[in-house]
Amino acid sequence: MSIKIYLPTEYFYLKRTCNLYGQLHISEDNVVVYYVMDVDSYKPDSDSNKMRFLGAILCNDSFADSSYCRSHDMILCFTYTKDSPNISLIFTGITPERLKPIKLILYDQEIVRSLVVKGQNTLNHWTREGHDECDFYMLAHLVQPKPDVCSNSAGLSFYGSRPLSLLANMPMQLLENIIGNTFVNSIITHTVIYRHYKEWQLIYANGSRLSNIIIDRALGIILMLTLFTLVSHPGDYLIQISHIIINQLYSLLKVLEGSPIGLKLNIHLNNFFLDCFKYHIELWSTFLDLIEPIVRQIFLAIGAFGCFGLTYQIALLADLISIVGLHAHCFYVYTKVLNNVELKGLSVLWQVVRGNRYNILRNRTEAHNYMNRQLYLATIFFSAILFLFPTTLVYYIVFATLKALTSATLAILDFIRRKLLNFPIDIFLKYFRKGFNEIDSLRVLDIPLQKQLVFTHRNSEILIFVYKLQV
């Protein structure tokens, strides 16, 4: 069993009486670790979940014996003299019978506070995932400031004053009340804007990406002002795009009407598909003409959502693209169902034509004697589906490609939206300010002392080795 003491560097050379506050941790391998984090400036009502009273640094003349420390509920005590340049350890409340050399590790709070692990600027997730047995992770977690304090101070410094902060949060409070309505919530549950609202609220509550939220809102307001001041009738662009998509679909069906890339399609099935899809497009075009005034206002809503942030505008644009491309999605579903039905029919009838069947009880394919009329009907249906399958496959490939392009566009928008919120801006700012330190860059250096420190335990002297954390 051994003892480790993490002590801020400036306290190691402190020459005044003061109390020590921090935390105590006993690992699974019975290593006692003392984390000293602060001295007399500690207040019981702040960070009480992280810090506790550990002991004190006393003048060597005022110290009597170990009973003095126990009477004052100390578990760690140092002393200093005028002759020695540093303090000395004279008491620990938890001391094993067989004690190995004690390790006194000095650290700089600013360096440890700026540690970054796997692209994150906090270490809370490491301690939650069971990494608390590592001293460095535990130390960095303890010295991290409280997220709510950081978020409040940074928010007020950005908006300038509390009234401006309340004014800036009014649109978000309005959106929260609207989405909280039961009727509205049931309508938009499966939309991108609702999913983004939940993600945004989670990030804002954690307070780990405040810089991203500030930049997101600033970009949204800039885009909103650009749309409302420099662009006249922005809703017209959306209507034009909708009609362009419809015209392109008509052109695509016209290409499929002949022999695309030299393929000989079934005339009757091809005409049936063309009539169905053209009717569907005409129906959708009529529907867009009816909702044209609403669509114009929706585009204005995209601009107005700049009050919430650019990511909200991107989320609303993704929902709008899904609505405009709904008819293309329907075409994909139709052709996919027909293609799967024909594939299943061909696979089943192929077994019948070969004189086999699938035995459900034995879970295998085995030979079977079919009657002549069964083989005759199976051959007719197999031949019919086989000759119709290329036509269905061509339509399925065309509309599956169209669906893939739409999904790729939505995926790009979703990637941009998430990156704007999760991009580690704080880490880059720390890097440019030279306040960025990776956990793997820490070095433990041996500190040479004029006089070897020892700790008296059970009438025996235990060596104390002093190290320092550096990057």
Side-chain angles (χ1 to χ4, degrees):
M1 189 172 183
S2 61
I3 293 177
K4 293 182 181 179
I5 302 174
Y6 285 89
L7 183 71
T9 306
E10 60 270 20
Y11 301 160
F12 185 62
Y13 305 100
L14 196 63
K15 291 297 187 69
R16 66 180 178 87
T17 302
C18 59
N19 294 327
L20 298 177
Y21 297 91
Q23 194 57 264
L24 170 66
H25 179 71
I26 302 177
S27 61
E28 293 181 355
D29 51 354
N30 294 326
V31 177
V32 181
V33 185
Y34 295 93
Y35 300 97
V36 179
M37 300 163 52
D38 205 349
V39 289
D40 289 333
S41 60
Y42 169 68
K43 297 179 181 179
D45 57 346
S46 63
D47 287 347
S48 59
N49 57 337
K50 290 184 178 181
M51 300 174 62
R52 55 179 288 186
F53 175 72
L54 293 181
I57 299 177
L58 303 174
C59 181
N60 193 25
D61 298 334
S62 63
F63 177 74
D65 52 15
S66 60
S67 60
Y68 176 84
C69 297
R70 292 190 178 91
S71 62
H72 289 76
D73 296 328
M74 295 184 186
I75 56 177
L76 192 65
C77 186
F78 294 90
T79 60
Y80 67 90
T81 61
K82 295 180 180 181
D83 300 332
S84 177
N86 51 263
I87 60 177
S88 301
L89 178 66
I90 52 91
F91 177 77
T92 57
I94 303 177
T95 307
E97 295 183 358
R98 298 180 179 179
L99 181 61
K100 297 180 180 179
I102 299 175
K103 297 178 182 179
L104 179 60
I105 304 174
L106 308 180
Y107 69 93
D108 187 351
Q109 290 187 350
E110 291 300 326
I111 292 178
V112 177
R113 188 175 289 118
S114 62
L115 289 179
V116 178
V117 180
K118 290 188 176 181
Q120 301 290 333
N121 60 343
T122 60
L123 299 174
N124 297 338
H125 66 288
W126 286 91
T127 55
R128 286 197 301 266
E129 294 175 3
H131 295 80
D132 56 342
E133 294 301 326
C134 180
D135 302 337
F136 296 158
Y137 297 136
M138 192 68 178
L139 175 64
H141 169 65
L142 290 174
V143 301
Q144 288 291 331
K146 298 181 71 174
D148 54 350
V149 175
C150 295
S151 61
N152 291 336
S153 60
L156 290 176
S157 63
F158 173 74
Y159 293 117
S161 62
R162 186 172 182 80
L164 289 179
S165 177
L166 295 176
L167 181 62
N169 290 328
M170 282 181 59
M172 191 55 61
Q173 293 293 332
L174 178 62
L175 180 64
E176 184 176 352
N177 293 332
I178 294 175
I179 294 181
N181 184 272
T182 306
F183 177 74
V184 176
N185 192 287
S186 61
I187 295 177
I188 66 172
T189 301
H190 302 288
T191 60
V192 180
I193 191 69
Y194 181 79
R195 185 167 66 250
H196 174 70
Y197 168 77
K198 290 296 184 182
E199 295 175 0
W200 192 94
Q201 288 288 348
L202 182 61
I203 293 175
Y204 183 76
N206 291 336
S208 59
R209 289 288 186 263
L210 185 64
S211 300
N212 299 60
I213 293 176
I214 293 173
I215 294 176
D216 174 37
R217 183 166 292 184
L219 292 175
I221 293 175
I222 292 173
L223 181 59
M224 178 184 65
L225 296 177
T226 303
L227 290 176
F228 288 161
T229 57
L230 302 180
V231 181
S232 59
H233 304 290
D236 294 340
Y237 293 98
L238 186 60
I239 299 299
Q240 293 176 4
I241 292 173
S242 302
H243 288 294
I244 289 174
I245 293 175
I246 291 174
N247 293 331
Q248 291 297 324
L249 286 176
Y250 273 121
S251 301
L252 180 62
L253 292 179
K254 191 173 182 179
V255 173
L256 294 174
E257 189 175 358
S259 298
I261 61 175
L263 295 176
K264 185 64 176 179
L265 303 181
N266 185 277
I267 298 176
H268 302 288
L269 182 60
N270 193 20
N271 291 335
F272 172 75
F273 282 156
L274 290 174
D275 292 337
C276 290
F277 292 152
K278 285 181 179 179
Y279 175 75
H280 201 297
I281 293 175
E282 291 176 0
L283 186 64
W284 186 252
S285 179
T286 304
F287 176 71
L288 285 180
D289 292 337
L290 291 176
I291 66 171
E292 182 175 334
I294 301 177
V295 173
R296 295 178 186 274
Q297 301 302 323
I298 289 177
F299 201 88
L300 294 176
I302 294 178
F305 262 63
C307 298
F308 309 113
L310 179 61
T311 53
Y312 278 93
Q313 293 173 310
I314 295 175
L316 190 58
L317 180 61
D319 286 329
L320 196 56
I321 291 176
S322 300
I323 294 174
V324 173
L326 181 61
H327 50 301
H329 176 73
C330 293
F331 295 164
Y332 165 73
V333 173
Y334 300 157
T335 54
K336 180 181 179 181
V337 171
L338 288 174
N339 184 73
N340 292 340
V341 169
E342 291 188 2
L343 280 176
K344 184 64 177 179
L346 287 175
S347 63
V348 172
L349 292 174
W350 175 245
Q351 297 296 334
V352 177
V353 171
R354 294 175 57 203
N356 296 330
R357 72 169 184 179
Y358 179 74
N359 193 327
I360 301 177
L361 298 178
R362 297 184 178 181
N363 193 22
R364 68 180 184 183
T365 302
E366 55 188 23
H368 181 71
N369 293 324
Y370 290 97
M371 293 183 290
N372 290 334
R373 60 176 179 270
Q374 291 176 325
L375 292 174
Y376 178 72
L377 291 175
T379 304
I380 292 176
F381 284 119
F382 178 77
S383 302
I385 296 176
L386 182 63
F387 287 114
L388 294 177
F389 180 70
T391 304
T392 306
L393 181 61
V394 168
Y395 275 86
Y396 173 68
I397 292 175
V398 169
F399 290 111
T401 304
L402 187 61
K403 172 65 176 177
L405 292 176
T406 306
S407 300
T409 304
L410 295 177
I412 292 173
L413 292 177
D414 188 71
F415 175 79
I416 296 174
R417 176 180 63 83
R418 291 177 183 273
K419 278 299 179 183
L420 284 175
L421 287 182
N422 297 314
F423 192 77
I425 297 177
D426 293 333
I427 295 178
F428 279 89
L429 293 177
K430 287 183 178 181
Y431 176 78
F432 287 115
R433 294 198 309 262
K434 297 182 179 180
F436 173 89
N437 297 290
E438 292 184 355
I439 191 72
D440 297 333
S441 65
L442 284 179
R443 295 181 299 167
V444 182
L445 303 180
D446 189 7
I447 302 298
L449 300 176
Q450 297 179 358
K451 182 180 180 182
Q452 176 67 49
L453 297 180
V454 294
F455 175 69
T456 304
H457 174 61
R458 296 183 182 276
N459 298 325
S460 61
E461 293 185 346
I462 306 297
L463 295 178
I464 301 177
F465 296 100
V466 182
Y467 306 94
K468 186 176 182 180
L469 292 180
Q470 286 187 351
V471 291

